[in-house]
Amino acid sequence: MATEVKVPTLGESVTEATVGAWLKKPGDAVALDEPIASLETDKVAVDVPSPVAGVLGQQLVKEGDTVNVGAIIATVEAGGVASAPAPAAASAASAPVAASVPAPAPVSSNTEDASSVTLSPAVRRLVLEHGLDPSSIKGTGRDGRLTKDDVMAAVAAGTAKAQGAAPAAPVAAAPTSAPTSSARAEERVKMTRLRQTVAKRLKSAQETAALLTTFNDVDMSAVIEARNTYKDLFEKKHGVRLGFMGFFTKAVCMALRDIPAVNAQIEGDEIVYHNYADISVAVSAPNGLVVPVIRNAETMSVAQIEKTIGDFGKKAKDGALTMEDMKGGTFTISNGGVFGSLMSTPIINPPQSAVLGLHRIEDRPVVRDGQIVIRPMMYLALSYDHRLIDGREAVTFLVAVKNAIEDPTRLLIDL
C-alpha cells in the first residue's frame, strides 16, 4: 500500500519551499523517519522524512520545483522490497548486447552507486564542486551520513576517489577535445531560495531605512592577553574554545542597555524598545549568509555565548539550522574579519535597526602616552537606521563597545 509523503510544516509564516535535492531514488529502501528529500525555504534547508519504512515509489516533483506546505511530493510503498538488484540483473541479461559498447555501462553504474549515498544539500554541493565519489568517504554524522567536515578532511588527506575515476581510466583519450570548447565556458545556475531571499531583504533594507555607518578602532591587546592567559583553562572547564565573539557579545549587551534606541525597531508609526538582547550572529553557510539568534544574550556568561555560537557554526556547515534558530533577533554582529576583511559597511537585518561589523586584527602604529607603539588594532563599523538612531547615540554606543573591549574588567564590574 502506497503512503503519501507530504511537505511538512515549515515554520511560522512559511508556506512554500523549493525542492533542493532528492536524497533517495525510486526503488530505494527507506527507514521510518529517514530523510528522502531536502527542501530549501527562505531561511534554512529542511529534510522531509519518510512516514513509513518501505521503498520509495514515485517522485511527483522535480528538483527545483516550488511546493506548498501539505503538498504530496512522493509515495512510499510500505514494507516493499527494494528494487536495487533489478537493474543489476537486467544489465547482466543484456551483457552480450552491451559488450560492443563497454564504455557507457561502467560510468552509469558508478553514478548510480554514488547517488545512492544520502547527502544533505551542503554536502552534496561540496561533493559536486570537488568531483568526488561520496561512497568512498567515511561518514561520521548521524546514521553514518556524511558531513561537510568529512568531505573536507577527505579532500585534505587525498583519500576520496574522484567521481567516475575508476571507469574513466580505459577511455582516457575522450577528454582531449574538452579544453578548446571550455576555454570561455559559461554556466547558468538558478539562485537558491535562500539567496533570492537574502537579495530581496538586503535591497529592501537599502530602500527603506536611512542607512548610515560610523567607524571606530579598538586596541585588542587586553582581550588577546586575557584569551592567551586563560584559553586552556577555559576550554578544560567549559569544553569550548575561548574566542573573541564572547567578549564582543557581552560588550554589545552592556552598550544596548545604555543606548536602548540601538536595540529598538520601527513598526508603523511606533518605536518598539526591547528590554532583552537577542543577538543575531551572521554565519556563513554553503548556500549563503544566515543569522541564527542567541536569545537573552544579556543573561549569558562568555562560556555560554561561545558554546551557543559554536553549535550554530556546526549546524550551519551541516545544513541543520532550524527555523526556530533563525527567528527574531534585535541586533546583529557580523564578523567579516574571519575572512580577512579590513573594513566594510554592513547592511542592517530588517526589522532590526543596527548591525556591528567586526574586521581583521592587524598590527598598526598608534600613539600611546606620546610614544608611537605597535598595537593589534581592529576597525569597528556600526551601520544603523538614521530614522530611529541619532548620530550621537550611534557614536556613544560604539565608544561603549570600544571601552569594554580595551578594558575587559568593565565587563566584570558592569561599567
Side-chain angles (χ1 to χ4, degrees):
M1 178 179 176
T3 301
E4 296 174 340
V5 180
K6 298 182 179 181
V7 176
T9 301
L10 301 172
E12 183 181 355
S13 75
V14 180
T15 60
E16 62 178 23
T18 300
V19 180
W22 281 104
L23 307 179
K24 291 289 186 178
K25 306 190 305 296
D28 284 352
V30 293
L32 175 64
D33 292 331
E34 181 179 7
I36 62 174
S38 177
L39 304 179
E40 293 180 355
T41 70
D42 291 348
K43 294 183 178 180
V44 295
V46 178
D47 285 343
V48 180
S50 174
V52 295
V55 173
L56 183 63
Q58 290 181 296
Q59 294 176 347
L60 303 179
V61 294
K62 303 188 297 293
E63 292 185 2
D65 285 355
T66 297
V67 292
N68 295 320
V69 172
I72 301 171
I73 62 172
T75 60
V76 174
E77 299 290 340
V81 179
S83 61
S91 61
S94 60
V97 178
S100 60
V101 282
V107 174
S108 174
S109 174
N110 186 67
T111 302
E112 290 177 5
D113 291 343
S115 64
S116 67
V117 180
T118 300
L119 304 177
S120 71
V123 174
R124 183 178 295 275
R125 183 184 297 271
L126 194 60
V127 166
L128 292 176
E129 286 177 355
H130 290 276
L132 302 178
D133 177 5
S135 63
S136 68
I137 306 173
K138 180 177 176 57
T140 61
R142 185 180 60 187
D143 298 327
R145 294 178 66 182
L146 289 183
T147 67
K148 187 176 179 182
D149 290 339
D150 294 334
V151 178
M152 294 305 298
V155 171
T159 57
K161 296 180 181 178
Q163 180 67 48
V171 288
T176 54
S177 60
T180 57
S181 61
S182 62
R184 289 173 56 81
E186 294 181 352
E187 181 182 7
R188 289 181 180 269
V189 179
K190 185 177 179 180
M191 293 175 68
T192 64
R193 179 174 289 271
L194 174 60
R195 175 52 60 186
Q196 293 178 47
T197 301
V198 169
K200 290 177 182 176
R201 287 175 61 84
L202 293 182
K203 187 58 181 174
S204 175
Q206 288 184 317
E207 294 173 347
T208 303
L211 289 177
L212 186 62
T213 303
T214 185
F215 299 92
N216 213 320
D217 61 359
V218 57
D219 187 341
M220 296 291 291
S221 299
V223 166
I224 290 175
E225 182 180 357
R227 181 175 181 269
N228 290 339
T229 301
Y230 298 109
K231 62 181 181 180
D232 293 336
L233 289 175
F234 185 90
E235 185 171 5
K236 182 178 180 180
K237 179 175 181 178
H238 300 291
V240 63
R241 297 179 64 182
L242 177 60
F244 297 123
M245 284 296 292
F247 291 99
F248 274 104
T249 303
K250 291 294 290 184
V252 161
C253 289
M254 290 177 54
L256 290 176
R257 183 195 60 196
D258 295 338
I259 316 294
V262 182
N263 199 38
Q265 65 188 55
I266 295 176
E267 287 189 6
D269 58 356
E270 297 179 332
I271 299 174
V272 180
Y273 292 94
H274 305 101
N275 61 2
Y276 54 88
D278 284 354
I279 306 300
S280 302
V281 182
V283 175
S284 180
N287 291 335
L289 193 70
V290 292
V291 278
V293 180
I294 306 174
R295 307 197 186 282
N296 297 311
E298 79 284 358
T299 67
M300 290 185 172
S301 66
V302 171
Q304 291 171 319
I305 292 171
E306 291 288 1
K307 187 177 187 307
T308 302
I309 294 174
D311 291 342
F312 282 151
K314 186 176 186 305
K315 291 172 72 174
K317 288 181 180 179
D318 294 341
L321 285 172
T322 66
M323 297 295 292
E324 189 61 28
D325 292 331
M326 317 279 287
K327 183 180 176 182
T330 62
F331 183 88
T332 294
I333 302 177
S334 177
N335 187 6
V338 297
F339 303 109
S341 172
L342 175 65
M343 188 180 293
S344 67
T345 55
I347 301 177
I348 64 174
N349 179 28
Q352 298 174 20
S353 299
V355 53
L356 177 67
L358 309 182
H359 301 90
R360 76 170 184 251
I361 303 170
E362 65 176 8
D363 289 340
R364 290 200 297 270
V366 295
V367 177
R368 295 287 185 268
D369 300 324
Q371 300 293 320
I372 299 177
V373 294
I374 302 298
R375 291 287 187 269
M377 304 296 294
M378 175 196 288
Y379 286 117
L380 303 179
L382 180 73
S383 290
Y384 58 97
D385 188 347
H386 211 347
R387 297 178 302 165
L388 172 60
I389 304 170
D390 294 329
R392 178 182 61 83
E393 293 171 315
V395 172
T396 302
F397 172 88
L398 202 54
V399 169
V401 173
K402 170 186 170 70
N403 289 340
I405 295 299
E406 292 187 339
D407 183 7
T409 304
R410 289 172 175 264
L411 301 176
L412 298 176
I413 61 177
D414 198 17
L415 278 181

